[in-house]
Amino acid sequence: MAEALTPDAVAKAFRYATDWFAVYVEETNALNVYPVPDGDTGTNMHLTLQSVRRELDLADTSRMGEVARAISYGSLLGARGNSGVITSQILKGFSEAIKNESRLTPAVLARALEQGQQTGYKAVMKPVEGTILTVIRGLADGARSVGGKAASVEEVLEAALDAGRKALEGTPELLPVLKQAGVVDAGGAGLIRLVEGLQGYVLGLPLPEPPKIEKYAQTAFEEEEFGYCTEFLMEGVAEPVETIREAVSPYGDSLLVVGAEGYVKGHIHTNDPDGLLAMVARYGKMVRTKVEDMSQQHTEILGMAGAADEAPPPTGLVVVAAGWGLVKAFRGFGARVVAGGQTANPSVQDILDAIKSLPNPHVIVLPNNSNVIMSANQAAELAKGAGKHVVVVPTRTLGAGLAASVVYQADAEPAELVPEMEEAAARAVTLEVTRASRDVSLEGLEVKEGKPIGLKNDKLVLVAETPEEALVNLLRLTVADGEYEIMTLFHGATVQKETLEGLISTINAQFEDLSVEVLPGGPDLYDYLAALE
């Protein structure tokens, strides 16, 4: 029996809880119906916990203050979706309660869960019962009932889980949409799995086997238009969170805007994701965006429900990508996407989790960044223990990854697919326009911080006065090297409509033989990304 947990043990418990939660990702996804069919609650909460784990890996886990900051800061930066953002606020309150303690005692644990409940409720403009909020209140109530007299951390966790599970079972009575679908709340179920993982670490339990998904809650609803689940993360924000929340609120519903240490995380369901992201970008530097078409997502989940009992095709695909337009494109090719890339490399564990989440016996991985290739290879090696045969096609750019993904077919064997995908990737040309992060003299170029720079196949080739000038000059250099017929151009959220229209007009006039497809949702921190073929 553990009378208390050291800071290092708390860190290990959260790492283990992340692995525990991974077992139940698809189960949690299958439950979700609230507030509209937005069916990736399990995925979003797992990504939030993975971000916590990454911060813990960098922290001095001998000090509780450092562990607490890693939990709070990591969950904020990695928070995805409604439930992920609320979870980050619950963990923020939890962390505040433990940061000045030397050990996590039963009484401190009970107080931390109670403070997590309070912070979670405060984060939501209009708290709704029957959701994850109801479940955190149940967990806190259960912990508080024994916290002052419990002899061990295990006793507090057990009492918390008993009350939390009862609260979860009651969510359909509080929220009619859950009763209609015959399920409990997905975010609340995910929170229970997280606390179960903490308990599993303390008790020394092995990871459970993934449950078989018998039904998907979204099959209870007709297909209709649901809009776009839109998220953003900004840094260097000086304005109060309340100001940004007020500015965002007219764009839609299911609104959450939270922040700390100059970072602001936002989540909203809207029919105008581009307009929202362009507006909110004036408050700070956009670090990460995510936009999901919930109607398309709903259709995909219905298809998964129909195929649940079928044998999977031989080959799955995992790709690393950033930028909601690119993520949408990769998913359209049938890929499981790991969030990350330039400035936000995913961990070996992130890639391994994605590989293991696929039912296919063979998996092809596209790193799409030179800094991710080694992690992908390590994940492929570790996946052998899970019975997976994994091949890494070492794509160094998103353009190469897109070209390779076009060739991918789930019904084909890797021996047939891999050579074709490697050939397609080798032919691809990727042009990127971003801003210099510092002054540097490189490749014969004098680069000043903040200036637009152009990269061709991940190599710096030019500096320009504007992003548009950089892209046009990149095209001049590239078209001189060979003949290209099609350019797929992704642009960032901060590019204004009039600027984009002027750029396309210039490209059409100067490159008459080039067919241009323009799409929103380019990589975060990049003005433009173009793939040529």
Side-chain angles (χ1 to χ4, degrees):
M1 301 289 280
E3 296 180 4
L5 298 183
T6 65
D8 188 58
V10 173
K12 288 177 178 176
F14 271 89
R15 290 191 188 101
Y16 190 75
T18 303
D19 293 336
W20 186 283
F21 191 95
V23 174
Y24 296 102
V25 166
E26 292 306 323
E27 177 192 68
T28 310
N29 284 342
L31 289 171
N32 198 59
V33 297
Y34 176 80
V36 294
D38 170 18
D40 54 357
T41 294
T43 301
N44 287 335
M45 292 182 74
H46 189 225
L47 288 169
T48 304
L49 295 176
Q50 286 177 316
S51 182
V52 170
R53 181 169 56 196
R54 281 194 293 271
E55 290 299 317
L56 287 169
D57 289 343
L58 298 173
D60 176 3
T61 58
S62 68
R63 300 166 57 194
M64 191 68 83
E66 287 294 304
V67 171
R69 184 184 184 278
I71 294 170
S72 177
Y73 184 68
S75 62
L76 174 65
L77 293 189
R80 310 291 178 93
N82 239 9
S83 294
V85 175
I86 296 173
T87 298
S88 77
Q89 297 307 288
I90 292 170
L91 292 178
K92 177 181 178 182
F94 184 99
S95 300
E96 284 292 316
I98 71 171
K99 68 180 184 181
N100 294 321
E101 304 291 337
S102 60
R103 298 187 306 161
L104 184 69
T105 64
V108 171
L109 174 57
R111 188 168 70 249
L113 287 170
E114 185 171 5
Q115 194 158 333
Q117 171 206 333
Q118 294 167 359
T119 309
Y121 269 86
K122 288 178 182 177
V124 182
M125 291 183 66
K126 298 178 181 179
V128 176
E129 296 299 337
T131 67
I132 189 174
L133 295 174
T134 301
V135 175
I136 183 55
R137 189 175 69 239
L139 288 164
D141 288 347
R144 185 171 54 247
S145 70
V146 301
K149 56 190 175 183
S152 69
V153 170
E154 291 94 328
E155 289 181 38
V156 177
L157 289 171
E158 187 61 36
L161 283 167
D162 283 345
R165 289 180 182 122
K166 288 177 183 176
L168 179 64
E169 290 170 5
T171 54
E173 300 304 319
L174 298 172
L175 206 58
V177 69
L178 297 176
K179 196 166 188 177
Q180 178 185 348
V183 295
V184 296
D185 178 67
L191 189 61
I192 292 293
R193 296 305 189 191
L194 166 58
V195 179
E196 283 180 353
L198 298 175
Q199 182 189 53
Y201 170 79
V202 176
L203 295 177
L205 300 178
L207 292 177
E209 291 295 318
K212 183 178 179 181
I213 310 302
E214 300 290 347
K215 62 178 290 188
Y216 286 81
Q218 294 190 31
T219 58
F221 301 92
E222 297 294 331
E223 185 176 353
E224 52 184 280
E225 293 297 323
F226 300 121
Y228 298 86
C229 176
T230 304
E231 300 177 21
F232 57 85
L233 175 67
M234 295 187 295
E235 66 179 1
V237 179
E239 292 288 342
V241 168
E242 292 75 16
T243 300
I244 299 172
R245 186 181 293 135
E246 183 177 344
V248 171
S249 61
Y251 282 84
D253 56 18
S254 296
L255 173 65
L256 280 168
V257 178
V258 298
E261 301 185 28
Y263 284 88
V264 169
K265 165 77 73 170
H267 170 282
I268 189 171
H269 291 164
T270 179
N271 286 316
D272 184 18
D274 295 333
L276 181 144
L277 292 172
M279 180 279 297
V280 79
R282 69 174 183 257
Y283 290 103
K285 182 180 180 182
M286 195 69 74
V287 175
R288 187 182 306 132
T289 60
K290 174 193 167 193
V291 179
E292 297 280 7
D293 183 337
M294 291 185 289
S295 298
Q296 181 185 36
Q297 190 179 67
H298 181 58
T299 302
E300 290 173 355
I301 289 173
L302 294 182
M304 288 167 60
D309 294 325
E310 298 177 6
T315 308
L317 179 64
V318 169
V319 305
V320 178
W324 67 266
L326 283 147
V327 169
K328 181 178 180 180
F330 280 117
R331 285 182 173 167
F333 293 128
R336 179 65 56 92
V337 178
V338 178
Q342 198 68 21
T343 75
N345 298 158
S347 68
V348 173
Q349 187 68 50
D350 296 339
I351 300 170
L352 179 61
D353 286 344
I355 292 169
K356 291 166 66 175
S357 74
L358 292 175
N360 319 85
H362 306 283
V363 177
I364 295 172
V365 179
L366 303 179
N368 297 337
N369 187 289
S370 57
N371 292 330
V372 182
I373 293 173
M374 184 177 293
S375 295
N377 285 326
Q378 291 174 338
E381 187 65 26
L382 291 171
K384 292 178 181 178
K388 297 282 189 181
H389 172 252
V390 181
V391 178
V392 177
V393 176
T395 48
R396 294 178 173 272
T397 66
L398 285 161
L402 285 169
S405 297
V406 172
V407 178
Y408 165 72
Q409 295 291 334
D411 291 332
E413 296 286 342
E416 173 188 349
L417 276 174
V418 170
E420 295 179 0
M421 295 176 75
E422 288 176 337
E423 182 180 350
R427 290 197 306 265
V429 173
T430 304
L431 307 179
E432 297 164 299
V433 176
T434 185
R435 311 292 177 113
S437 59
R438 61 182 184 275
D439 293 352
V440 66
S441 179
L442 187 67
E443 305 290 347
L445 299 171
E446 291 297 324
V447 181
K448 298 296 182 183
E449 182 179 352
K451 278 288 189 180
I453 54 176
L455 297 91
K456 177 180 176 182
N457 288 339
D458 205 29
K459 182 180 179 181
L460 177 66
V461 294
L462 58 85
V463 181
E465 291 300 316
T466 68
E468 293 68 40
E469 176 188 319
L471 182 61
V472 171
N473 288 341
L474 281 172
L475 279 170
R476 288 176 181 150
L477 290 174
T478 305
V479 171
D481 291 339
E483 295 183 3
Y484 299 93
E485 299 177 353
I486 301 171
M487 178 175 75
T488 305
L489 177 64
F490 294 88
H491 63 84
T494 58
V495 176
Q496 298 297 313
K497 181 180 178 181
E498 297 78 9
T499 302
L500 182 62
E501 289 174 349
L503 172 64
I504 300 307
S505 177
T506 299
I507 291 172
N508 287 336
Q510 295 191 23
F511 308 96
E512 296 179 356
D513 296 331
L514 192 63
S515 175
V516 181
E517 180 181 11
V518 182
L519 297 169
D524 302 314
L525 307 181
Y526 282 68
D527 295 278
Y528 301 104
L529 181 142
L532 288 171
E533 54 184 301

